[in-house]
Amino acid sequence: GGIMRLGEDVAQSKNYQIVGIDYDFAGLFDLKVVAGRNFSREFPADQDALILNETAMRWMGFPDAASAIGQQVDYWEHVYTIVGVFKDYHQQSPKVGFEPHIYRLMSYGRDVRGMIAIKLNVEDVSGIMDEVEERYSQFFPGNPFDFFFLDDYYDQQYKSERQFGQVFSVFSLLAILITALGIFGLSSAATLQRTKEIGIRKAVGASVASILFLLCKDVLRLLVLAFVLAVMPALWAINRWLDTFAYRMNPNAWLFLLALGIVLFVTLWAISGHVVRAARANPVQSLRYE
């Protein structure tokens, strides 16, 4: 709190997330510099410098990243100069928006606290961790060696969304399977009931395609009607779910058309076997069917 551009009224001050880093932080995490530069040992004055992320840059009222470079900030009545702007990056759940971050150079002395980040060679993790623990004990004797892997940490934040996707996919496949079985039985019964009609039409020269269309059109009409009635509730539910995310996509029409195409394909696949078999049968046998 109490951070603002130099010369602004104290009422304009805002709260920012302060991140103390060293010279190698940006390189280790592959942060992108969109304007200015990273902290450097070649610039001793960087002890009085700041780097903002894009969200913090906008919070301070700069129209773009380039205009923020060289500007001064009143940081608890101490003047700092902005030397760089980092691109926003996700470090929390996708349901959390970007926070305004201010990065300060805290590379030595009592400022060094928090966590130490190390990039490992994954081919020998256990051996490297034994060496890291040994070095840690040398520098911080008596302190417990506690660590976690960053990929596991990120995985926990996205795990619920992946599990939801997997569960939803399983139930969607079950729904499609049940629908296909129902349509398969319905088409079988309809074909048996109209066996004589199929024989008569075949006898007067109707093609297999025309007979297939005749028997499918009623079912397809109901499916299209059901699709139209389901679109609005589905769109509402999808938008409510997407609203829980800080950054979201907008549902496209082609997604619904794809769903309709899948349903029509499954329907035609379930019906066509019975209909084509009946349409190709000898009309004499169909006419004699009771």
Side-chain angles (χ1 to χ4, degrees):
I3 300 175
M4 55 195 170
R5 294 171 63 173
L6 187 65
E8 286 187 334
D9 187 87
V10 68
Q12 302 297 320
S13 65
K14 296 183 178 70
N15 295 325
Y16 296 83
Q17 293 284 355
I18 309 302
V19 186
I21 66 174
D22 61 6
Y23 298 104
D24 304 311
F25 181 88
L28 182 70
F29 290 103
D30 196 25
L31 302 189
K32 306 301 181 183
V33 179
V34 297
R37 59 176 177 83
N38 184 28
F39 294 129
S40 173
R41 294 178 177 85
E42 299 178 359
F43 296 91
D46 278 356
Q47 295 299 324
D48 294 321
L50 299 176
I51 297 177
L52 312 180
N53 70 347
E54 292 175 306
T55 300
M57 175 265 298
R58 289 189 290 269
W59 272 42
M60 286 194 180
F62 297 111
D64 52 60
S67 64
I69 305 304
Q71 300 297 316
Q72 293 184 316
V73 175
D74 186 336
Y75 185 117
W76 301 347
E77 300 183 353
H78 188 94
V79 178
Y80 286 81
T81 302
I82 301 172
V83 298
V85 176
F86 286 151
K87 183 176 179 61
D88 285 335
Y89 59 91
H90 284 289
Q91 66 177 41
Q92 300 185 65
S93 164
K95 297 183 178 181
V96 180
F98 294 123
E99 294 181 333
H101 285 179
I102 292 179
Y103 300 85
R104 286 184 55 191
L105 183 61
M106 298 180 176
S107 58
Y108 62 89
R110 63 188 299 270
D111 284 335
V112 177
R113 59 187 184 271
M115 298 183 181
I116 299 174
I118 301 174
K119 184 176 290 187
L120 303 178
N121 184 344
V122 296
E123 294 180 358
D124 185 22
V125 174
S126 59
I128 293 176
M129 291 308 302
D130 290 341
E131 182 177 351
V132 171
E133 182 176 7
E134 181 181 349
R135 299 291 183 91
Y136 183 89
S137 299
Q138 295 175 2
F139 283 101
F140 308 102
N143 287 348
F145 180 62
D146 187 19
F147 67 93
F148 65 90
F149 292 100
L150 194 59
D151 54 348
D152 293 336
Y153 185 77
Y154 278 119
D155 181 72
Q156 291 299 318
Q157 299 184 88
Y158 289 81
K159 187 176 182 179
S160 61
E161 277 70 35
R162 284 199 299 270
Q163 289 179 337
F164 175 79
Q166 293 169 354
V167 171
F168 193 83
S169 298
V170 170
F171 279 99
S172 297
L173 291 175
L174 287 175
I176 292 174
L177 178 61
I178 293 172
T179 301
L181 292 175
I183 294 174
F184 186 83
L186 180 64
S187 64
S188 177
T191 303
L192 290 175
Q193 290 176 354
R194 303 178 71 172
T195 300
K196 281 191 175 182
E197 179 185 351
I198 294 173
I200 294 172
R201 290 181 179 274
K202 187 71 180 296
V204 297
S207 65
V208 174
S210 64
I211 296 175
L212 178 62
F213 175 76
L214 175 69
L215 297 182
C216 289
K217 65 179 183 179
D218 292 335
V219 176
L220 295 179
R221 188 182 296 116
L222 291 175
L223 283 177
V224 172
L225 177 61
F227 172 80
V228 172
L229 295 176
V231 164
M232 293 308 298
L235 185 60
W236 179 86
I238 291 173
N239 277 314
R240 296 291 75 77
W241 176 67
L242 290 174
D243 284 341
T244 63
F245 294 86
Y247 304 95
R248 47 160 290 180
M249 61 174 284
N250 291 316
N252 293 320
W254 69 266
L255 292 174
F256 294 93
L257 294 177
L258 176 63
L260 177 60
I262 293 174
V263 172
L264 292 178
F265 173 79
V266 172
T267 301
L268 291 175
W269 172 79
I271 295 177
S272 60
H274 294 296
V275 177
V276 171
R277 191 181 304 111
R280 287 181 175 177
N282 191 326
V284 175
Q285 295 179 354
S286 299
L287 293 172
R288 294 173 58 189
Y289 176 79
E290 293 294 337

mmCIF file of all heavy atoms in Angstrom, residues 164-186:
data_model
loop_
_atom_site.group_PDB
_atom_site.id
_atom_site.type_symbol
_atom_site.label_atom_id
_atom_site.label_comp_id
_atom_site.label_asym_id
_atom_site.label_seq_id
_atom_site.Cartn_x
_atom_site.Cartn_y
_atom_site.Cartn_z
ATOM 1 N N PHE A 164 -12.698 -32.293 -13.951
ATOM 2 C CA PHE A 164 -14.041 -31.956 -14.411
ATOM 3 C C PHE A 164 -14.190 -32.290 -15.893
ATOM 4 O O PHE A 164 -15.211 -32.839 -16.323
ATOM 5 C CB PHE A 164 -14.320 -30.471 -14.175
ATOM 6 C CG PHE A 164 -15.642 -30.013 -14.728
ATOM 7 C CD1 PHE A 164 -16.823 -30.269 -14.039
ATOM 8 C CD2 PHE A 164 -15.707 -29.321 -15.928
ATOM 9 C CE1 PHE A 164 -18.038 -29.851 -14.542
ATOM 10 C CE2 PHE A 164 -16.919 -28.897 -16.440
ATOM 11 C CZ PHE A 164 -18.090 -29.155 -15.742
ATOM 12 N N GLY A 165 -13.172 -31.967 -16.690
ATOM 13 C CA GLY A 165 -13.213 -32.287 -18.112
ATOM 14 C C GLY A 165 -13.280 -33.779 -18.366
ATOM 15 O O GLY A 165 -14.027 -34.233 -19.246
ATOM 16 N N GLN A 166 -12.525 -34.552 -17.598
ATOM 17 C CA GLN A 166 -12.538 -36.004 -17.775
ATOM 18 C C GLN A 166 -13.892 -36.596 -17.399
ATOM 19 O O GLN A 166 -14.439 -37.445 -18.122
ATOM 20 C CB GLN A 166 -11.430 -36.628 -16.930
ATOM 21 C CG GLN A 166 -10.022 -36.267 -17.410
ATOM 22 C CD GLN A 166 -8.954 -36.676 -16.425
ATOM 23 O OE1 GLN A 166 -9.244 -37.131 -15.317
ATOM 24 N NE2 GLN A 166 -7.694 -36.501 -16.809
ATOM 25 N N VAL A 167 -14.450 -36.157 -16.256
ATOM 26 C CA VAL A 167 -15.755 -36.661 -15.823
ATOM 27 C C VAL A 167 -16.825 -36.277 -16.839
ATOM 28 O O VAL A 167 -17.682 -37.096 -17.206
ATOM 29 C CB VAL A 167 -16.108 -36.118 -14.418
ATOM 30 C CG1 VAL A 167 -17.556 -36.455 -14.055
ATOM 31 C CG2 VAL A 167 -15.149 -36.684 -13.382
ATOM 32 N N PHE A 168 -16.775 -35.031 -17.298
ATOM 33 C CA PHE A 168 -17.773 -34.572 -18.272
ATOM 34 C C PHE A 168 -17.666 -35.364 -19.573
ATOM 35 O O PHE A 168 -18.682 -35.705 -20.185
ATOM 36 C CB PHE A 168 -17.561 -33.079 -18.550
ATOM 37 C CG PHE A 168 -18.698 -32.434 -19.275
ATOM 38 C CD1 PHE A 168 -19.815 -31.988 -18.585
ATOM 39 C CD2 PHE A 168 -18.664 -32.268 -20.643
ATOM 40 C CE1 PHE A 168 -20.871 -31.386 -19.243
ATOM 41 C CE2 PHE A 168 -19.715 -31.684 -21.322
ATOM 42 C CZ PHE A 168 -20.819 -31.236 -20.614
ATOM 43 N N SER A 169 -16.444 -35.686 -19.987
ATOM 44 C CA SER A 169 -16.252 -36.459 -21.220
ATOM 45 C C SER A 169 -16.820 -37.870 -21.079
ATOM 46 O O SER A 169 -17.468 -38.391 -22.004
ATOM 47 C CB SER A 169 -14.761 -36.524 -21.570
ATOM 48 O OG SER A 169 -14.228 -35.237 -21.820
ATOM 49 N N VAL A 170 -16.591 -38.485 -19.924
ATOM 50 C CA VAL A 170 -17.100 -39.843 -19.700
ATOM 51 C C VAL A 170 -18.626 -39.856 -19.749
ATOM 52 O O VAL A 170 -19.240 -40.706 -20.422
ATOM 53 C CB VAL A 170 -16.597 -40.387 -18.348
ATOM 54 C CG1 VAL A 170 -17.324 -41.686 -17.985
ATOM 55 C CG2 VAL A 170 -15.094 -40.630 -18.402
ATOM 56 N N PHE A 171 -19.259 -38.903 -19.058
ATOM 57 C CA PHE A 171 -20.716 -38.877 -19.054
ATOM 58 C C PHE A 171 -21.269 -38.507 -20.429
ATOM 59 O O PHE A 171 -22.353 -38.976 -20.807
ATOM 60 C CB PHE A 171 -21.221 -37.895 -17.993
ATOM 61 C CG PHE A 171 -21.238 -38.470 -16.602
ATOM 62 C CD1 PHE A 171 -20.225 -38.198 -15.709
ATOM 63 C CD2 PHE A 171 -22.267 -39.313 -16.196
ATOM 64 C CE1 PHE A 171 -20.227 -38.735 -14.434
ATOM 65 C CE2 PHE A 171 -22.294 -39.861 -14.925
ATOM 66 C CZ PHE A 171 -21.260 -39.576 -14.033
ATOM 67 N N SER A 172 -20.557 -37.686 -21.177
ATOM 68 C CA SER A 172 -21.003 -37.354 -22.538
ATOM 69 C C SER A 172 -20.978 -38.595 -23.423
ATOM 70 O O SER A 172 -21.908 -38.839 -24.206
ATOM 71 C CB SER A 172 -20.117 -36.259 -23.130
ATOM 72 O OG SER A 172 -20.217 -35.063 -22.385
ATOM 73 N N LEU A 173 -19.904 -39.386 -23.314
ATOM 74 C CA LEU A 173 -19.823 -40.617 -24.104
ATOM 75 C C LEU A 173 -20.914 -41.599 -23.705
ATOM 76 O O LEU A 173 -21.502 -42.271 -24.566
ATOM 77 C CB LEU A 173 -18.437 -41.254 -23.930
ATOM 78 C CG LEU A 173 -17.265 -40.488 -24.554
ATOM 79 C CD1 LEU A 173 -15.942 -41.152 -24.201
ATOM 80 C CD2 LEU A 173 -17.430 -40.422 -26.072
ATOM 81 N N LEU A 174 -21.195 -41.685 -22.406
ATOM 82 C CA LEU A 174 -22.277 -42.569 -21.963
ATOM 83 C C LEU A 174 -23.621 -42.100 -22.510
ATOM 84 O O LEU A 174 -24.453 -42.916 -22.935
ATOM 85 C CB LEU A 174 -22.316 -42.609 -20.429
ATOM 86 C CG LEU A 174 -21.192 -43.378 -19.732
ATOM 87 C CD1 LEU A 174 -21.300 -43.231 -18.223
ATOM 88 C CD2 LEU A 174 -21.219 -44.844 -20.124
ATOM 89 N N ALA A 175 -23.836 -40.777 -22.507
ATOM 90 C CA ALA A 175 -25.093 -40.246 -23.039
ATOM 91 C C ALA A 175 -25.233 -40.549 -24.526
ATOM 92 O O ALA A 175 -26.317 -40.926 -24.999
ATOM 93 C CB ALA A 175 -25.165 -38.738 -22.792
ATOM 94 N N ILE A 176 -24.137 -40.402 -25.275
ATOM 95 C CA ILE A 176 -24.176 -40.703 -26.709
ATOM 96 C C ILE A 176 -24.433 -42.197 -26.931
ATOM 97 O O ILE A 176 -25.206 -42.587 -27.816
ATOM 98 C CB ILE A 176 -22.861 -40.272 -27.374
ATOM 99 C CG1 ILE A 176 -22.745 -38.741 -27.356
ATOM 100 C CG2 ILE A 176 -22.772 -40.780 -28.809
ATOM 101 C CD1 ILE A 176 -21.413 -38.228 -27.863
ATOM 102 N N LEU A 177 -23.794 -43.039 -26.120
ATOM 103 C CA LEU A 177 -23.991 -44.486 -26.254
ATOM 104 C C LEU A 177 -25.439 -44.877 -25.962
ATOM 105 O O LEU A 177 -26.053 -45.656 -26.721
ATOM 106 C CB LEU A 177 -23.043 -45.226 -25.308
ATOM 107 C CG LEU A 177 -23.162 -46.755 -25.284
ATOM 108 C CD1 LEU A 177 -22.862 -47.332 -26.669
ATOM 109 C CD2 LEU A 177 -22.216 -47.353 -24.244
ATOM 110 N N ILE A 178 -26.003 -44.319 -24.888
ATOM 111 C CA ILE A 178 -27.399 -44.630 -24.546
ATOM 112 C C ILE A 178 -28.339 -44.137 -25.635
ATOM 113 O O ILE A 178 -29.302 -44.828 -26.017
ATOM 114 C CB ILE A 178 -27.758 -44.007 -23.186
ATOM 115 C CG1 ILE A 178 -26.953 -44.690 -22.061
ATOM 116 C CG2 ILE A 178 -29.257 -44.131 -22.906
ATOM 117 C CD1 ILE A 178 -27.092 -44.031 -20.715
ATOM 118 N N THR A 179 -28.047 -42.945 -26.164
ATOM 119 C CA THR A 179 -28.868 -42.410 -27.252
ATOM 120 C C THR A 179 -28.809 -43.312 -28.482
ATOM 121 O O THR A 179 -29.831 -43.590 -29.125
ATOM 122 C CB THR A 179 -28.388 -40.994 -27.616
ATOM 123 O OG1 THR A 179 -28.479 -40.155 -26.457
ATOM 124 C CG2 THR A 179 -29.229 -40.397 -28.734
ATOM 125 N N ALA A 180 -27.589 -43.752 -28.805
ATOM 126 C CA ALA A 180 -27.427 -44.621 -29.976
ATOM 127 C C ALA A 180 -28.182 -45.932 -29.792
ATOM 128 O O ALA A 180 -28.837 -46.424 -30.728
ATOM 129 C CB ALA A 180 -25.942 -44.888 -30.213
ATOM 130 N N LEU A 181 -28.122 -46.504 -28.600
ATOM 131 C CA LEU A 181 -28.846 -47.751 -28.345
ATOM 132 C C LEU A 181 -30.358 -47.535 -28.457
ATOM 133 O O LEU A 181 -31.086 -48.384 -29.008
ATOM 134 C CB LEU A 181 -28.484 -48.296 -26.964
ATOM 135 C CG LEU A 181 -27.048 -48.809 -26.798
ATOM 136 C CD1 LEU A 181 -26.790 -49.201 -25.352
ATOM 137 C CD2 LEU A 181 -26.798 -49.994 -27.724
ATOM 138 N N GLY A 182 -30.834 -46.396 -27.922
ATOM 139 C CA GLY A 182 -32.259 -46.120 -28.006
ATOM 140 C C GLY A 182 -32.720 -45.934 -29.441
ATOM 141 O O GLY A 182 -33.763 -46.460 -29.848
ATOM 142 N N ILE A 183 -31.946 -45.179 -30.211
ATOM 143 C CA ILE A 183 -32.304 -44.961 -31.615
ATOM 144 C C ILE A 183 -32.216 -46.263 -32.404
ATOM 145 O O ILE A 183 -33.027 -46.528 -33.297
ATOM 146 C CB ILE A 183 -31.389 -43.884 -32.224
ATOM 147 C CG1 ILE A 183 -31.657 -42.531 -31.548
ATOM 148 C CG2 ILE A 183 -31.599 -43.764 -33.722
ATOM 149 C CD1 ILE A 183 -30.716 -41.439 -31.985
ATOM 150 N N PHE A 184 -31.230 -47.087 -32.060
ATOM 151 C CA PHE A 184 -31.079 -48.383 -32.722
ATOM 152 C C PHE A 184 -32.326 -49.245 -32.507
ATOM 153 O O PHE A 184 -32.868 -49.839 -33.449
ATOM 154 C CB PHE A 184 -29.842 -49.091 -32.175
ATOM 155 C CG PHE A 184 -29.505 -50.364 -32.887
ATOM 156 C CD1 PHE A 184 -28.775 -50.351 -34.066
ATOM 157 C CD2 PHE A 184 -29.911 -51.586 -32.373
ATOM 158 C CE1 PHE A 184 -28.464 -51.523 -34.716
ATOM 159 C CE2 PHE A 184 -29.607 -52.767 -33.015
ATOM 160 C CZ PHE A 184 -28.873 -52.736 -34.203
ATOM 161 N N GLY A 185 -32.814 -49.283 -31.267
ATOM 162 C CA GLY A 185 -34.020 -50.056 -30.992
ATOM 163 C C GLY A 185 -35.246 -49.449 -31.637
ATOM 164 O O GLY A 185 -36.106 -50.167 -32.172
ATOM 165 N N LEU A 186 -35.337 -48.107 -31.613
ATOM 166 C CA LEU A 186 -36.483 -47.436 -32.220
ATOM 167 C C LEU A 186 -36.523 -47.668 -33.727
ATOM 168 O O LEU A 186 -37.590 -47.948 -34.301
ATOM 169 C CB LEU A 186 -36.415 -45.941 -31.920
ATOM 170 C CG LEU A 186 -37.547 -45.070 -32.471
ATOM 171 C CD1 LEU A 186 -38.876 -45.473 -31.839
ATOM 172 C CD2 LEU A 186 -37.249 -43.603 -32.205
#
